Amino acid sequence: MDCFDGGIPTVSFGQVVDFNLMLKHGADGKRETAQINPGGSFTLKPEEEENLLAVYVAAGNVKIEDKQVKTGELFICKNWSKERMIENAGESVVGLEICRVFVK
């Protein structure tokens, strides 16, 4: 993980999926990765003051409550206050990027 003020120009070449967590105005958060095996699931519960959840599906397909989220798609839960179950909805391992954020 790298931190910078956002004022540095960045460039990428080729096919790149760049998933970043950028925060401002006193927000705080963390980014983590997860994998779910076929038939598996897990639950995310907000910690302390976290109130925004973003889940990027890097590979595979998941079901988050009644929503299907596929490879390359982003699930966002504003006003996150309760547990969210994430289930592998396919036949292969799912790769996820998860951002847990506290927004003032």
Side-chain angles (χ1 to χ4, degrees):
M1 181 157 54
D2 192 16
C3 297
F4 64 98
D5 67 6
I8 301 169
T10 60
V11 177
S12 63
F13 298 95
Q15 285 189 312
V16 176
V17 174
D18 190 10
F19 187 76
N20 297 292
L21 173 61
M22 296 183 182
L23 304 167
K24 65 179 185 176
H25 302 300
D28 191 19
K30 62 183 174 183
R31 194 184 106 217
E32 55 197 34
T33 61
Q35 290 187 327
I36 309 173
N37 290 321
S41 66
F42 71 95
T43 302
L44 290 173
K45 183 176 180 178
E47 298 174 2
E48 298 180 28
E49 296 180 315
E50 293 172 342
N51 56 13
L52 184 134
L53 171 67
V55 178
Y56 175 74
V57 181
N61 299 304
V62 297
K63 182 177 177 187
I64 304 176
E65 303 212 342
D66 62 343
K67 307 267 190 257
Q68 294 287 330
V69 189
K70 301 176 184 175
T71 300
E73 294 182 342
L74 180 67
F75 171 86
I76 297 177
C77 178
K78 297 179 181 177
N79 302 313
W80 182 32
S81 62
K82 65 177 186 168
E83 293 181 345
R84 298 289 176 164
M85 178 179 281
I86 301 177
E87 301 175 69
N88 185 328
E91 308 258 335
S92 60
V93 175
V94 170
L96 302 173
E97 294 278 346
I98 300 164
C99 292
R100 309 167 69 99
V101 180
F102 165 63
V103 179
K104 290 183 181 182

